[in-house]
């Protein structure tokens, strides 16, 4: 994985680490922010090594299925998974939006305490990818940044609402 392109996004949240962890591991909260601007349905969320997160995002009558298999779970500080585009039966498939998009992305999310705040770092790296998939991923930074930043804004909003409710 050393020579592969990486996508990294970092964000600091004004909330305890446990609250940020909950935004990633509570199906209701996850559906609120994951896939901003679309309807997100969490079909399954089993947050443990070997557990699955089955997600469907719907927009314009087009479903997009994702199958995520957790590889490492260290509550409340680290999630590692393999992120795959799937068909309606949750089988690995090419992306319906771009055939050269990596079929599998190795994802790492870390949450660090930072003076009462939480520092999040998300890293995406193509996994078992072809040269075409690696090139596609390497050229998609702007779109990935836009999408993830929109989701991070929604997490911040959720955390603000949670703090207001305390």
């Amino acid at each position: 994985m050393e020579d592969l392109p990486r996508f990294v996004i970092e964000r600091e949240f004004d909330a305890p680490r446990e609250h940020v962890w909950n935004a990633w591991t509570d199906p209701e909260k996850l559906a609120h922010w994951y896939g901003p601007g679309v309807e997100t349905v969490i079909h399954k969320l089993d947050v443990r090594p070997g557990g699955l997160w089955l997600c469907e995002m719907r927009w314009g009558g087009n479903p997009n299925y994702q199958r995520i298999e957790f590889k490492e779970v260290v509550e409340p500080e680290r999630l590692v998974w393999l992120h795959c585009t799937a068909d309606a039966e949750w089988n690995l498939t090419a992306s319906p939006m771009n055939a050269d998009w990596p079929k599998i992305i190795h994802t790492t999310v870390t949450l660090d305490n930072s003076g009462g705040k939480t520092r999040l770092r998300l890293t995406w790296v193509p996994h078992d990818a072809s040269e075409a998939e690696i090139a596609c991923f390497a050229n998609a930074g702007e779109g990935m940044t836009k999408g993830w930043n929109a989701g991070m804004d929604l997490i911040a909003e959720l955390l603000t609402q949670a703090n207001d409710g305390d």
Side-chain angles (χ1 to χ4, degrees), residues 89-114:
E89 286 78 41
W90 309 109
N91 299 303
L92 175 70
T93 190
S95 169
M97 295 181 291
N98 185 336
D100 287 334
W101 183 252
K103 289 177 186 63
I104 306 172
I105 298 174
H106 186 274
T107 306
T108 303
V109 173
T110 57
L111 304 173
D112 294 314
N113 284 323
S114 177

mmCIF file with all atom_site columns, all heavy atoms in Angstrom, residues 89-114:
data_model
loop_
_atom_site.group_PDB
_atom_site.id
_atom_site.type_symbol
_atom_site.label_atom_id
_atom_site.label_alt_id
_atom_site.label_comp_id
_atom_site.label_asym_id
_atom_site.label_entity_id
_atom_site.label_seq_id
_atom_site.pdbx_PDB_ins_code
_atom_site.Cartn_x
_atom_site.Cartn_y
_atom_site.Cartn_z
_atom_site.occupancy
_atom_site.B_iso_or_equiv
_atom_site.pdbx_formal_charge
_atom_site.auth_seq_id
_atom_site.auth_comp_id
_atom_site.auth_asym_id
_atom_site.auth_atom_id
_atom_site.pdbx_PDB_model_num
ATOM 1   N N   . GLU A 1 89  ? -27.689 -7.723  -4.226  1.00 0.00 ? 89  GLU A N   1
ATOM 2   C CA  . GLU A 1 89  ? -27.549 -8.913  -3.367  1.00 0.00 ? 89  GLU A CA  1
ATOM 3   C C   . GLU A 1 89  ? -26.278 -8.831  -2.509  1.00 0.00 ? 89  GLU A C   1
ATOM 4   O O   . GLU A 1 89  ? -25.880 -9.814  -1.909  1.00 0.00 ? 89  GLU A O   1
ATOM 5   C CB  . GLU A 1 89  ? -27.517 -10.191 -4.216  1.00 0.00 ? 89  GLU A CB  1
ATOM 6   C CG  . GLU A 1 89  ? -28.871 -10.583 -4.787  1.00 0.00 ? 89  GLU A CG  1
ATOM 7   C CD  . GLU A 1 89  ? -29.255 -9.738  -6.002  1.00 0.00 ? 89  GLU A CD  1
ATOM 8   O OE1 . GLU A 1 89  ? -28.373 -9.469  -6.847  1.00 0.00 ? 89  GLU A OE1 1
ATOM 9   O OE2 . GLU A 1 89  ? -30.429 -9.326  -6.094  1.00 0.00 ? 89  GLU A OE2 1
ATOM 10  N N   . TRP A 1 90  ? -25.627 -7.657  -2.498  1.00 0.00 ? 90  TRP A N   1
ATOM 11  C CA  . TRP A 1 90  ? -24.430 -7.369  -1.690  1.00 0.00 ? 90  TRP A CA  1
ATOM 12  C C   . TRP A 1 90  ? -23.181 -8.092  -2.181  1.00 0.00 ? 90  TRP A C   1
ATOM 13  O O   . TRP A 1 90  ? -22.238 -8.303  -1.444  1.00 0.00 ? 90  TRP A O   1
ATOM 14  C CB  . TRP A 1 90  ? -24.670 -7.635  -0.202  1.00 0.00 ? 90  TRP A CB  1
ATOM 15  C CG  . TRP A 1 90  ? -25.912 -6.952  0.264   1.00 0.00 ? 90  TRP A CG  1
ATOM 16  C CD1 . TRP A 1 90  ? -27.079 -7.573  0.608   1.00 0.00 ? 90  TRP A CD1 1
ATOM 17  C CD2 . TRP A 1 90  ? -26.140 -5.548  0.381   1.00 0.00 ? 90  TRP A CD2 1
ATOM 18  N NE1 . TRP A 1 90  ? -28.030 -6.617  0.937   1.00 0.00 ? 90  TRP A NE1 1
ATOM 19  C CE2 . TRP A 1 90  ? -27.472 -5.358  0.801   1.00 0.00 ? 90  TRP A CE2 1
ATOM 20  C CE3 . TRP A 1 90  ? -25.369 -4.414  0.158   1.00 0.00 ? 90  TRP A CE3 1
ATOM 21  C CZ2 . TRP A 1 90  ? -28.019 -4.109  1.027   1.00 0.00 ? 90  TRP A CZ2 1
ATOM 22  C CZ3 . TRP A 1 90  ? -25.925 -3.166  0.377   1.00 0.00 ? 90  TRP A CZ3 1
ATOM 23  C CH2 . TRP A 1 90  ? -27.232 -3.026  0.810   1.00 0.00 ? 90  TRP A CH2 1
ATOM 24  N N   . ASN A 1 91  ? -23.152 -8.449  -3.470  1.00 0.00 ? 91  ASN A N   1
ATOM 25  C CA  . ASN A 1 91  ? -21.958 -9.037  -4.069  1.00 0.00 ? 91  ASN A CA  1
ATOM 26  C C   . ASN A 1 91  ? -21.086 -7.926  -4.636  1.00 0.00 ? 91  ASN A C   1
ATOM 27  O O   . ASN A 1 91  ? -21.599 -6.956  -5.207  1.00 0.00 ? 91  ASN A O   1
ATOM 28  C CB  . ASN A 1 91  ? -22.349 -10.003 -5.203  1.00 0.00 ? 91  ASN A CB  1
ATOM 29  C CG  . ASN A 1 91  ? -23.201 -11.135 -4.704  1.00 0.00 ? 91  ASN A CG  1
ATOM 30  O OD1 . ASN A 1 91  ? -22.820 -11.868 -3.813  1.00 0.00 ? 91  ASN A OD1 1
ATOM 31  N ND2 . ASN A 1 91  ? -24.402 -11.262 -5.272  1.00 0.00 ? 91  ASN A ND2 1
ATOM 32  N N   . LEU A 1 92  ? -19.791 -8.088  -4.541  1.00 0.00 ? 92  LEU A N   1
ATOM 33  C CA  . LEU A 1 92  ? -18.829 -7.139  -5.082  1.00 0.00 ? 92  LEU A CA  1
ATOM 34  C C   . LEU A 1 92  ? -19.076 -6.945  -6.582  1.00 0.00 ? 92  LEU A C   1
ATOM 35  O O   . LEU A 1 92  ? -19.276 -7.921  -7.308  1.00 0.00 ? 92  LEU A O   1
ATOM 36  C CB  . LEU A 1 92  ? -17.418 -7.681  -4.849  1.00 0.00 ? 92  LEU A CB  1
ATOM 37  C CG  . LEU A 1 92  ? -16.257 -6.892  -5.437  1.00 0.00 ? 92  LEU A CG  1
ATOM 38  C CD1 . LEU A 1 92  ? -16.076 -5.585  -4.686  1.00 0.00 ? 92  LEU A CD1 1
ATOM 39  C CD2 . LEU A 1 92  ? -14.995 -7.728  -5.361  1.00 0.00 ? 92  LEU A CD2 1
ATOM 40  N N   . THR A 1 93  ? -19.075 -5.668  -7.031  1.00 0.00 ? 93  THR A N   1
ATOM 41  C CA  . THR A 1 93  ? -19.299 -5.361  -8.437  1.00 0.00 ? 93  THR A CA  1
ATOM 42  C C   . THR A 1 93  ? -18.591 -4.059  -8.795  1.00 0.00 ? 93  THR A C   1
ATOM 43  O O   . THR A 1 93  ? -18.168 -3.319  -7.909  1.00 0.00 ? 93  THR A O   1
ATOM 44  C CB  . THR A 1 93  ? -20.818 -5.256  -8.742  1.00 0.00 ? 93  THR A CB  1
ATOM 45  O OG1 . THR A 1 93  ? -21.009 -5.179  -10.138 1.00 0.00 ? 93  THR A OG1 1
ATOM 46  C CG2 . THR A 1 93  ? -21.444 -4.061  -8.080  1.00 0.00 ? 93  THR A CG2 1
ATOM 47  N N   . ALA A 1 94  ? -18.494 -3.783  -10.064 1.00 0.00 ? 94  ALA A N   1
ATOM 48  C CA  . ALA A 1 94  ? -17.940 -2.504  -10.511 1.00 0.00 ? 94  ALA A CA  1
ATOM 49  C C   . ALA A 1 94  ? -18.922 -1.386  -10.181 1.00 0.00 ? 94  ALA A C   1
ATOM 50  O O   . ALA A 1 94  ? -20.131 -1.603  -10.112 1.00 0.00 ? 94  ALA A O   1
ATOM 51  C CB  . ALA A 1 94  ? -17.673 -2.549  -12.012 1.00 0.00 ? 94  ALA A CB  1
ATOM 52  N N   . SER A 1 95  ? -18.400 -0.204  -9.998  1.00 0.00 ? 95  SER A N   1
ATOM 53  C CA  . SER A 1 95  ? -19.246 0.954   -9.728  1.00 0.00 ? 95  SER A CA  1
ATOM 54  C C   . SER A 1 95  ? -20.152 1.228   -10.931 1.00 0.00 ? 95  SER A C   1
ATOM 55  O O   . SER A 1 95  ? -19.680 1.279   -12.061 1.00 0.00 ? 95  SER A O   1
ATOM 56  C CB  . SER A 1 95  ? -18.383 2.183   -9.459  1.00 0.00 ? 95  SER A CB  1
ATOM 57  O OG  . SER A 1 95  ? -19.177 3.347   -9.450  1.00 0.00 ? 95  SER A OG  1
ATOM 58  N N   . PRO A 1 96  ? -21.443 1.439   -10.709 1.00 0.00 ? 96  PRO A N   1
ATOM 59  C CA  . PRO A 1 96  ? -22.335 1.759   -11.823 1.00 0.00 ? 96  PRO A CA  1
ATOM 60  C C   . PRO A 1 96  ? -22.083 3.166   -12.379 1.00 0.00 ? 96  PRO A C   1
ATOM 61  O O   . PRO A 1 96  ? -22.480 3.476   -13.486 1.00 0.00 ? 96  PRO A O   1
ATOM 62  C CB  . PRO A 1 96  ? -23.734 1.650   -11.214 1.00 0.00 ? 96  PRO A CB  1
ATOM 63  C CG  . PRO A 1 96  ? -23.529 1.840   -9.747  1.00 0.00 ? 96  PRO A CG  1
ATOM 64  C CD  . PRO A 1 96  ? -22.158 1.320   -9.443  1.00 0.00 ? 96  PRO A CD  1
ATOM 65  N N   . MET A 1 97  ? -21.378 4.008   -11.618 1.00 0.00 ? 97  MET A N   1
ATOM 66  C CA  . MET A 1 97  ? -21.113 5.375   -12.060 1.00 0.00 ? 97  MET A CA  1
ATOM 67  C C   . MET A 1 97  ? -19.788 5.501   -12.809 1.00 0.00 ? 97  MET A C   1
ATOM 68  O O   . MET A 1 97  ? -19.625 6.405   -13.616 1.00 0.00 ? 97  MET A O   1
ATOM 69  C CB  . MET A 1 97  ? -21.125 6.322   -10.864 1.00 0.00 ? 97  MET A CB  1
ATOM 70  C CG  . MET A 1 97  ? -22.502 6.407   -10.217 1.00 0.00 ? 97  MET A CG  1
ATOM 71  S SD  . MET A 1 97  ? -22.574 7.530   -8.814  1.00 0.00 ? 97  MET A SD  1
ATOM 72  C CE  . MET A 1 97  ? -21.576 6.650   -7.621  1.00 0.00 ? 97  MET A CE  1
ATOM 73  N N   . ASN A 1 98  ? -18.834 4.577   -12.521 1.00 0.00 ? 98  ASN A N   1
ATOM 74  C CA  . ASN A 1 98  ? -17.534 4.643   -13.175 1.00 0.00 ? 98  ASN A CA  1
ATOM 75  C C   . ASN A 1 98  ? -16.893 3.261   -13.088 1.00 0.00 ? 98  ASN A C   1
ATOM 76  O O   . ASN A 1 98  ? -16.450 2.842   -12.017 1.00 0.00 ? 98  ASN A O   1
ATOM 77  C CB  . ASN A 1 98  ? -16.645 5.692   -12.504 1.00 0.00 ? 98  ASN A CB  1
ATOM 78  C CG  . ASN A 1 98  ? -15.335 5.889   -13.214 1.00 0.00 ? 98  ASN A CG  1
ATOM 79  O OD1 . ASN A 1 98  ? -14.836 5.010   -13.921 1.00 0.00 ? 98  ASN A OD1 1
ATOM 80  N ND2 . ASN A 1 98  ? -14.744 7.058   -13.020 1.00 0.00 ? 98  ASN A ND2 1
ATOM 81  N N   . ALA A 1 99  ? -16.816 2.563   -14.198 1.00 0.00 ? 99  ALA A N   1
ATOM 82  C CA  . ALA A 1 99  ? -16.280 1.196   -14.223 1.00 0.00 ? 99  ALA A CA  1
ATOM 83  C C   . ALA A 1 99  ? -14.828 1.110   -13.766 1.00 0.00 ? 99  ALA A C   1
ATOM 84  O O   . ALA A 1 99  ? -14.381 0.052   -13.344 1.00 0.00 ? 99  ALA A O   1
ATOM 85  C CB  . ALA A 1 99  ? -16.414 0.600   -15.620 1.00 0.00 ? 99  ALA A CB  1
ATOM 86  N N   . ASP A 1 100 ? -14.094 2.224   -13.820 1.00 0.00 ? 100 ASP A N   1
ATOM 87  C CA  . ASP A 1 100 ? -12.696 2.217   -13.393 1.00 0.00 ? 100 ASP A CA  1
ATOM 88  C C   . ASP A 1 100 ? -12.507 2.565   -11.918 1.00 0.00 ? 100 ASP A C   1
ATOM 89  O O   . ASP A 1 100 ? -11.382 2.582   -11.422 1.00 0.00 ? 100 ASP A O   1
ATOM 90  C CB  . ASP A 1 100 ? -11.867 3.191   -14.248 1.00 0.00 ? 100 ASP A CB  1
ATOM 91  C CG  . ASP A 1 100 ? -11.634 2.655   -15.643 1.00 0.00 ? 100 ASP A CG  1
ATOM 92  O OD1 . ASP A 1 100 ? -11.647 1.421   -15.823 1.00 0.00 ? 100 ASP A OD1 1
ATOM 93  O OD2 . ASP A 1 100 ? -11.440 3.471   -16.564 1.00 0.00 ? 100 ASP A OD2 1
ATOM 94  N N   . TRP A 1 101 ? -13.599 2.865   -11.228 1.00 0.00 ? 101 TRP A N   1
ATOM 95  C CA  . TRP A 1 101 ? -13.486 3.156   -9.789  1.00 0.00 ? 101 TRP A CA  1
ATOM 96  C C   . TRP A 1 101 ? -13.037 1.874   -9.078  1.00 0.00 ? 101 TRP A C   1
ATOM 97  O O   . TRP A 1 101 ? -13.516 0.790   -9.416  1.00 0.00 ? 101 TRP A O   1
ATOM 98  C CB  . TRP A 1 101 ? -14.822 3.640   -9.232  1.00 0.00 ? 101 TRP A CB  1
ATOM 99  C CG  . TRP A 1 101 ? -14.716 4.007   -7.785  1.00 0.00 ? 101 TRP A CG  1
ATOM 100 C CD1 . TRP A 1 101 ? -15.231 3.317   -6.727  1.00 0.00 ? 101 TRP A CD1 1
ATOM 101 C CD2 . TRP A 1 101 ? -14.037 5.126   -7.228  1.00 0.00 ? 101 TRP A CD2 1
ATOM 102 N NE1 . TRP A 1 101 ? -14.917 3.944   -5.552  1.00 0.00 ? 101 TRP A NE1 1
ATOM 103 C CE2 . TRP A 1 101 ? -14.177 5.062   -5.836  1.00 0.00 ? 101 TRP A CE2 1
ATOM 104 C CE3 . TRP A 1 101 ? -13.308 6.179   -7.787  1.00 0.00 ? 101 TRP A CE3 1
ATOM 105 C CZ2 . TRP A 1 101 ? -13.618 6.013   -4.979  1.00 0.00 ? 101 TRP A CZ2 1
ATOM 106 C CZ3 . TRP A 1 101 ? -12.761 7.125   -6.931  1.00 0.00 ? 101 TRP A CZ3 1
ATOM 107 C CH2 . TRP A 1 101 ? -12.916 7.035   -5.541  1.00 0.00 ? 101 TRP A CH2 1
ATOM 108 N N   . PRO A 1 102 ? -12.109 1.966   -8.094  1.00 0.00 ? 102 PRO A N   1
ATOM 109 C CA  . PRO A 1 102 ? -11.652 0.748   -7.404  1.00 0.00 ? 102 PRO A CA  1
ATOM 110 C C   . PRO A 1 102 ? -12.815 -0.050  -6.814  1.00 0.00 ? 102 PRO A C   1
ATOM 111 O O   . PRO A 1 102 ? -13.710 0.519   -6.183  1.00 0.00 ? 102 PRO A O   1
ATOM 112 C CB  . PRO A 1 102 ? -10.751 1.286   -6.298  1.00 0.00 ? 102 PRO A CB  1
ATOM 113 C CG  . PRO A 1 102 ? -10.307 2.627   -6.778  1.00 0.00 ? 102 PRO A CG  1
ATOM 114 C CD  . PRO A 1 102 ? -11.450 3.164   -7.594  1.00 0.00 ? 102 PRO A CD  1
ATOM 115 N N   . LYS A 1 103 ? -12.789 -1.340  -7.031  1.00 0.00 ? 103 LYS A N   1
ATOM 116 C CA  . LYS A 1 103 ? -13.841 -2.202  -6.492  1.00 0.00 ? 103 LYS A CA  1
ATOM 117 C C   . LYS A 1 103 ? -13.746 -2.301  -4.973  1.00 0.00 ? 103 LYS A C   1
ATOM 118 O O   . LYS A 1 103 ? -14.746 -2.502  -4.300  1.00 0.00 ? 103 LYS A O   1
ATOM 119 C CB  . LYS A 1 103 ? -13.766 -3.584  -7.131  1.00 0.00 ? 103 LYS A CB  1
ATOM 120 C CG  . LYS A 1 103 ? -14.189 -3.571  -8.589  1.00 0.00 ? 103 LYS A CG  1
ATOM 121 C CD  . LYS A 1 103 ? -14.049 -4.931  -9.238  1.00 0.00 ? 103 LYS A CD  1
ATOM 122 C CE  . LYS A 1 103 ? -14.326 -4.878  -10.712 1.00 0.00 ? 103 LYS A CE  1
ATOM 123 N NZ  . LYS A 1 103 ? -13.407 -4.062  -11.483 1.00 0.00 ? 103 LYS A NZ  1
ATOM 124 N N   . ILE A 1 104 ? -12.517 -2.160  -4.446  1.00 0.00 ? 104 ILE A N   1
ATOM 125 C CA  . ILE A 1 104 ? -12.302 -2.251  -2.997  1.00 0.00 ? 104 ILE A CA  1
ATOM 126 C C   . ILE A 1 104 ? -11.398 -1.102  -2.565  1.00 0.00 ? 104 ILE A C   1
ATOM 127 O O   . ILE A 1 104 ? -10.365 -0.848  -3.190  1.00 0.00 ? 104 ILE A O   1
ATOM 128 C CB  . ILE A 1 104 ? -11.653 -3.591  -2.592  1.00 0.00 ? 104 ILE A CB  1
ATOM 129 C CG1 . ILE A 1 104 ? -12.457 -4.775  -3.115  1.00 0.00 ? 104 ILE A CG1 1
ATOM 130 C CG2 . ILE A 1 104 ? -11.502 -3.672  -1.076  1.00 0.00 ? 104 ILE A CG2 1
ATOM 131 C CD1 . ILE A 1 104 ? -11.785 -6.123  -2.914  1.00 0.00 ? 104 ILE A CD1 1
ATOM 132 N N   . ILE A 1 105 ? -11.792 -0.438  -1.483  1.00 0.00 ? 105 ILE A N   1
ATOM 133 C CA  . ILE A 1 105 ? -10.977 0.627   -0.906  1.00 0.00 ? 105 ILE A CA  1
ATOM 134 C C   . ILE A 1 105 ? -10.716 0.276   0.558   1.00 0.00 ? 105 ILE A C   1
ATOM 135 O O   . ILE A 1 105 ? -11.654 -0.012  1.312   1.00 0.00 ? 105 ILE A O   1
ATOM 136 C CB  . ILE A 1 105 ? -11.670 1.994   -1.018  1.00 0.00 ? 105 ILE A CB  1
ATOM 137 C CG1 . ILE A 1 105 ? -11.879 2.344   -2.499  1.00 0.00 ? 105 ILE A CG1 1
ATOM 138 C CG2 . ILE A 1 105 ? -10.859 3.063   -0.300  1.00 0.00 ? 105 ILE A CG2 1
ATOM 139 C CD1 . ILE A 1 105 ? -12.672 3.600   -2.722  1.00 0.00 ? 105 ILE A CD1 1
ATOM 140 N N   . HIS A 1 106 ? -9.454  0.288   0.930   1.00 0.00 ? 106 HIS A N   1
ATOM 141 C CA  . HIS A 1 106 ? -9.056  0.066   2.318   1.00 0.00 ? 106 HIS A CA  1
ATOM 142 C C   . HIS A 1 106 ? -9.249  1.386   3.059   1.00 0.00 ? 106 HIS A C   1
ATOM 143 O O   . HIS A 1 106 ? -8.691  2.417   2.661   1.00 0.00 ? 106 HIS A O   1
ATOM 144 C CB  . HIS A 1 106 ? -7.595  -0.386  2.381   1.00 0.00 ? 106 HIS A CB  1
ATOM 145 C CG  . HIS A 1 106 ? -7.149  -0.766  3.744   1.00 0.00 ? 106 HIS A CG  1
ATOM 146 N ND1 . HIS A 1 106 ? -6.663  0.147   4.648   1.00 0.00 ? 106 HIS A ND1 1
ATOM 147 C CD2 . HIS A 1 106 ? -7.128  -1.966  4.360   1.00 0.00 ? 106 HIS A CD2 1
ATOM 148 C CE1 . HIS A 1 106 ? -6.341  -0.484  5.764   1.00 0.00 ? 106 HIS A CE1 1
ATOM 149 N NE2 . HIS A 1 106 ? -6.624  -1.761  5.618   1.00 0.00 ? 106 HIS A NE2 1
ATOM 150 N N   . THR A 1 107 ? -10.065 1.355   4.104   1.00 0.00 ? 107 THR A N   1
ATOM 151 C CA  . THR A 1 107 ? -10.436 2.564   4.834   1.00 0.00 ? 107 THR A CA  1
ATOM 152 C C   . THR A 1 107 ? -9.975  2.476   6.276   1.00 0.00 ? 107 THR A C   1
ATOM 153 O O   . THR A 1 107 ? -10.179 1.453   6.930   1.00 0.00 ? 107 THR A O   1
ATOM 154 C CB  . THR A 1 107 ? -11.970 2.754   4.820   1.00 0.00 ? 107 THR A CB  1
ATOM 155 O OG1 . THR A 1 107 ? -12.422 2.715   3.463   1.00 0.00 ? 107 THR A OG1 1
ATOM 156 C CG2 . THR A 1 107 ? -12.383 4.053   5.472   1.00 0.00 ? 107 THR A CG2 1
ATOM 157 N N   . THR A 1 108 ? -9.385  3.559   6.771   1.00 0.00 ? 108 THR A N   1
ATOM 158 C CA  . THR A 1 108 ? -9.008  3.663   8.176   1.00 0.00 ? 108 THR A CA  1
ATOM 159 C C   . THR A 1 108 ? -9.547  4.975   8.717   1.00 0.00 ? 108 THR A C   1
ATOM 160 O O   . THR A 1 108 ? -9.321  6.035   8.127   1.00 0.00 ? 108 THR A O   1
ATOM 161 C CB  . THR A 1 108 ? -7.475  3.624   8.353   1.00 0.00 ? 108 THR A CB  1
ATOM 162 O OG1 . THR A 1 108 ? -6.964  2.433   7.768   1.00 0.00 ? 108 THR A OG1 1
ATOM 163 C CG2 . THR A 1 108 ? -7.095  3.667   9.825   1.00 0.00 ? 108 THR A CG2 1
ATOM 164 N N   . VAL A 1 109 ? -10.262 4.895   9.833   1.00 0.00 ? 109 VAL A N   1
ATOM 165 C CA  . VAL A 1 109 ? -10.757 6.080   10.526  1.00 0.00 ? 109 VAL A CA  1
ATOM 166 C C   . VAL A 1 109 ? -10.177 6.037   11.939  1.00 0.00 ? 109 VAL A C   1
ATOM 167 O O   . VAL A 1 109 ? -10.344 5.040   12.644  1.00 0.00 ? 109 VAL A O   1
ATOM 168 C CB  . VAL A 1 109 ? -12.303 6.104   10.593  1.00 0.00 ? 109 VAL A CB  1
ATOM 169 C CG1 . VAL A 1 109 ? -12.795 7.262   11.457  1.00 0.00 ? 109 VAL A CG1 1
ATOM 170 C CG2 . VAL A 1 109 ? -12.895 6.181   9.199   1.00 0.00 ? 109 VAL A CG2 1
ATOM 171 N N   . THR A 1 110 ? -9.486  7.121   12.315  1.00 0.00 ? 110 THR A N   1
ATOM 172 C CA  . THR A 1 110 ? -8.959  7.219   13.679  1.00 0.00 ? 110 THR A CA  1
ATOM 173 C C   . THR A 1 110 ? -9.563  8.438   14.354  1.00 0.00 ? 110 THR A C   1
ATOM 174 O O   . THR A 1 110 ? -9.813  9.468   13.718  1.00 0.00 ? 110 THR A O   1
ATOM 175 C CB  . THR A 1 110 ? -7.419  7.310   13.706  1.00 0.00 ? 110 THR A CB  1
ATOM 176 O OG1 . THR A 1 110 ? -7.009  8.439   12.929  1.00 0.00 ? 110 THR A OG1 1
ATOM 177 C CG2 . THR A 1 110 ? -6.780  6.047   13.170  1.00 0.00 ? 110 THR A CG2 1
ATOM 178 N N   . LEU A 1 111 ? -9.794  8.298   15.635  1.00 0.00 ? 111 LEU A N   1
ATOM 179 C CA  . LEU A 1 111 ? -10.343 9.371   16.463  1.00 0.00 ? 111 LEU A CA  1
ATOM 180 C C   . LEU A 1 111 ? -9.394  9.582   17.638  1.00 0.00 ? 111 LEU A C   1
ATOM 181 O O   . LEU A 1 111 ? -9.177  8.670   18.443  1.00 0.00 ? 111 LEU A O   1
ATOM 182 C CB  . LEU A 1 111 ? -11.734 8.997   16.976  1.00 0.00 ? 111 LEU A CB  1
ATOM 183 C CG  . LEU A 1 111 ? -12.784 8.631   15.926  1.00 0.00 ? 111 LEU A CG  1
ATOM 184 C CD1 . LEU A 1 111 ? -14.051 8.118   16.588  1.00 0.00 ? 111 LEU A CD1 1
ATOM 185 C CD2 . LEU A 1 111 ? -13.083 9.821   15.035  1.00 0.00 ? 111 LEU A CD2 1
ATOM 186 N N   . ASP A 1 112 ? -8.849  10.786  17.749  1.00 0.00 ? 112 ASP A N   1
ATOM 187 C CA  . ASP A 1 112 ? -7.908  11.111  18.821  1.00 0.00 ? 112 ASP A CA  1
ATOM 188 C C   . ASP A 1 112 ? -8.467  12.228  19.671  1.00 0.00 ? 112 ASP A C   1
ATOM 189 O O   . ASP A 1 112 ? -9.014  13.208  19.145  1.00 0.00 ? 112 ASP A O   1
ATOM 190 C CB  . ASP A 1 112 ? -6.557  11.547  18.236  1.00 0.00 ? 112 ASP A CB  1
ATOM 191 C CG  . ASP A 1 112 ? -5.847  10.422  17.511  1.00 0.00 ? 112 ASP A CG  1
ATOM 192 O OD1 . ASP A 1 112 ? -5.792  9.309   18.062  1.00 0.00 ? 112 ASP A OD1 1
ATOM 193 O OD2 . ASP A 1 112 ? -5.374  10.655  16.385  1.00 0.00 ? 112 ASP A OD2 1
ATOM 194 N N   . ASN A 1 113 ? -8.283  12.095  21.009  1.00 0.00 ? 113 ASN A N   1
ATOM 195 C CA  . ASN A 1 113 ? -8.644  13.174  21.916  1.00 0.00 ? 113 ASN A CA  1
ATOM 196 C C   . ASN A 1 113 ? -7.699  14.338  21.698  1.00 0.00 ? 113 ASN A C   1
ATOM 197 O O   . ASN A 1 113 ? -6.496  14.141  21.515  1.00 0.00 ? 113 ASN A O   1
ATOM 198 C CB  . ASN A 1 113 ? -8.528  12.706  23.375  1.00 0.00 ? 113 ASN A CB  1
ATOM 199 C CG  . ASN A 1 113 ? -9.664  11.817  23.783  1.00 0.00 ? 113 ASN A CG  1
ATOM 200 O OD1 . ASN A 1 113 ? -10.800 12.018  23.370  1.00 0.00 ? 113 ASN A OD1 1
ATOM 201 N ND2 . ASN A 1 113 ? -9.375  10.828  24.612  1.00 0.00 ? 113 ASN A ND2 1
ATOM 202 N N   . SER A 1 114 ? -8.255  15.546  21.734  1.00 0.00 ? 114 SER A N   1
ATOM 203 C CA  . SER A 1 114 ? -7.441  16.742  21.524  1.00 0.00 ? 114 SER A CA  1
ATOM 204 C C   . SER A 1 114 ? -7.996  17.874  22.388  1.00 0.00 ? 114 SER A C   1
ATOM 205 O O   . SER A 1 114 ? -8.763  18.706  21.908  1.00 0.00 ? 114 SER A O   1
ATOM 206 C CB  . SER A 1 114 ? -7.455  17.132  20.041  1.00 0.00 ? 114 SER A CB  1
ATOM 207 O OG  . SER A 1 114 ? -6.733  18.314  19.822  1.00 0.00 ? 114 SER A OG  1
#
